[in-house]
Amino acid sequence: MPTAFITGITGQDGAYLAKFLLGKGYHVIGMIRRSASSDVIGERLRWLDVLDKVTLVDGNLTDLSSLIRLLQEHKPEEVYNLAAQSFVATSWQQPLVTGNVTGLGVVNMLEAVRIALPEARFYQASSSEMFGKVQAVPQSETTPFYPRSPYAAAKLYGHWMTVNYRESFGLHASSGILFNHESPLRGIEFVTRRITDGVARIKLGLKDRLTLGNTAAKRDWGHAGDYVEAMWLMLQQDAADDYVIATGRTASVEEFCRLSFAAAGLAMDDYIHTDPALLRPAEVELLLGDPGKAARVLGWKPRVSLEELAAEMVAADLKRLSR
Ligand code: NDP
Ligand code: GDP
């Protein structure tokens, strides 16, 4: 039974990846950071019914010694580095934490692999935010980067360090440049979940409006369940490489709203308000990925449509709130 080590297992992707790998017969070790709320920290794993099937171990991406010890002890064949301060808006409020965890944290994990387990295969969770003020449409593995937030700058550092450790030390280190991916387990602060939670509250009479920032921004949104499969496929290749993972379809925040309200049988225009306080200091206006290389080399294709994604998220939020 192969062993996989996941940082960020309590997050959206960590939960889906854990479920996916368990289904493939892996022993899954998930690193969690010590928290006073440890009774609720496994909520996403519980939602997917895998909390009692994974082994949770204490560590922190900012503490290199903890990472080395964990790799020495568990000797995983595959390391998935998903942990990060992952919310763009927060990265302007906490640029140093973001740099420490989302940027330097990657180097801690790479160093731990290099020192303790250089034969392990390594996955880095890079981001389409690195394209930022996009230099070409659609964006592919060869599109130049132009980060527009402390988060994106930190991710770009982590991405290049992954490439560098592959080229310098021969690590089997791959970087997945994933476009936005969502699910019922998406953090509540991200726009899709903010929308589907808002729609569900309006539907249930708990709220009478939904306040958003820039509704013209466009994203290439996929389903997290589809995207974790791409992470695994990257680590099954003979040679490590970098891949864009996207659907190839872009839609505005407004469009995602319309689909979500429609899924609840409501007309969006009656409920949407905008608040300039929710605008960002610098915006990423348009993301659209070209997943051609992933299709060709990995044989990967997204399965869930945007309509299905919005409907699944609204249904899950209605279920949560009705409890
Ligand atoms: P989440 O925000 O849901 O999860 C982040 C995870 O990182 C949580 O488990 C969190 O733990 C953990 N974490 C944060 N800081 C530390 C730390 N110092 N030490 C150890 N663990 C830490 O993110 P997602 O699941 O959505 O995303 C997974 C990864 O993919 C992230 O790196 C994200 O930036 C990247 N990504 C995501 C995209 C998306 O659309 N979802 C798109 C492109 C990239 P805790 O529960 O304790 O907070
Ligand atoms: P991001 O692409 O990682 O920044 O993911 P988000 O879901 O946080 O934001 C996606 C887009 O939605 C960005 O362009 C935001 O400016 C825009 N947006 C509009 N209103 C909101 C809002 O109320 N919350 C968030 N998080 N984003 C919003």
Side-chain angles (χ1 to χ4, degrees):
M1 186 192 266
T3 299
F5 180 82
I6 305 176
T7 72
I9 194 164
T10 55
Q12 169 188 259
D13 291 9
Y16 278 97
L17 180 63
K19 188 174 174 89
F20 176 84
L21 293 173
L22 287 165
K24 292 264 173 209
Y26 280 74
H27 176 211
V28 175
I29 313 273
M31 187 181 82
I32 54 170
R33 50 178 171 167
R34 197 269 149 187
S35 163
S37 311
S38 52
D39 53 334
V40 291
I41 204 165
E43 201 41 53
R44 291 190 174 94
L45 294 161
R46 197 174 289 122
W47 178 278
L48 295 183
D49 202 21
V50 294
L51 181 58
D52 56 358
K53 302 183 179 78
V54 299
T55 304
L56 298 178
V57 294
D58 267 350
N60 197 301
L61 212 56
T62 59
D63 186 319
L64 175 60
S65 62
S66 69
L67 305 177
I68 292 174
R69 266 197 303 277
L70 289 172
L71 294 189
Q72 282 172 337
E73 186 179 342
H74 298 286
K75 299 193 174 21
E77 279 84 9
E78 296 175 10
V79 174
Y80 294 87
N81 186 37
L82 309 185
Q85 190 303 93
S86 69
F87 188 43
V88 170
T90 293
S91 76
W92 279 283
Q93 310 305 324
Q94 298 180 27
L96 301 177
V97 165
T98 304
N100 246 330
V101 180
T102 308
L104 276 175
V106 182
V107 187
N108 282 333
M109 203 61 246
L110 284 164
E111 273 293 283
V113 171
R114 178 184 166 206
I115 293 166
L117 205 60
E119 65 277 17
R121 296 186 170 195
F122 178 84
Y123 172 83
Q124 169 55 21
S126 291
S127 166
S128 57
E129 289 292 317
M130 301 187 307
F131 295 119
K133 189 172 175 185
V134 297
Q135 304 295 294
V137 181
Q139 297 86 50
S140 74
E141 293 79 6
T142 54
T143 304
F145 298 114
Y146 192 134
R148 291 273 275 174
S149 63
Y151 167 80
K155 278 286 177 192
L156 191 51
Y157 176 62
H159 168 73
W160 280 121
M161 289 303 279
T162 303
V163 173
N164 183 261
Y165 270 49
R166 179 168 78 222
E167 295 177 353
S168 305
F169 305 116
L171 295 189
H172 192 292
S174 292
S175 174
I177 306 173
L178 271 54
F179 282 62
N180 297 51
H181 45 279
E182 320 294 311
S183 74
L185 301 184
R186 183 60 141 152
I188 193 84
E189 65 274 40
F190 292 87
V191 75
T192 54
R193 192 62 212 297
R194 190 172 160 94
I195 292 168
T196 60
D197 174 75
V199 166
R201 283 175 197 275
I202 290 167
K203 180 76 180 175
L204 296 173
L206 302 170
K207 198 171 154 168
D208 57 11
R209 57 160 61 180
L210 173 59
T211 307
L212 296 169
N214 176 15
T215 56
K218 291 181 153 183
R219 289 292 181 275
D220 180 330
W221 278 297
H223 193 294
D226 288 347
Y227 284 39
V228 298
E229 183 185 9
M231 299 175 187
W232 175 76
L233 282 168
M234 285 178 219
L235 298 205
Q236 309 317 305
Q237 306 306 306
D238 289 341
D241 205 345
D242 309 318
Y243 297 89
V244 159
I245 301 298
T247 68
R249 167 181 174 183
T250 192
S252 66
V253 170
E254 183 178 337
E255 166 109 40
F256 188 86
C257 271
R258 198 172 298 285
L259 294 176
S260 303
F261 277 97
L266 298 169
M268 173 183 97
D269 296 336
D270 300 339
Y271 304 104
I272 295 287
H273 292 256
T274 52
D275 180 353
L278 292 170
L279 299 178
R280 294 176 176 182
E283 178 63 289
V284 173
E285 294 293 350
L286 163 73
L287 290 174
L288 173 61
D290 171 4
K293 179 177 172 184
R296 270 193 320 278
V297 181
L298 305 177
W300 179 85
K301 271 207 306 272
R303 294 190 183 89
V304 181
S305 72
L306 192 63
E307 287 75 8
E308 290 165 337
L309 173 65
E312 182 187 339
M313 291 177 69
V314 169
D317 277 319
L318 281 167
K319 187 171 148 194
R320 269 195 193 96
L321 291 164
S322 304
R323 272 188 194 151

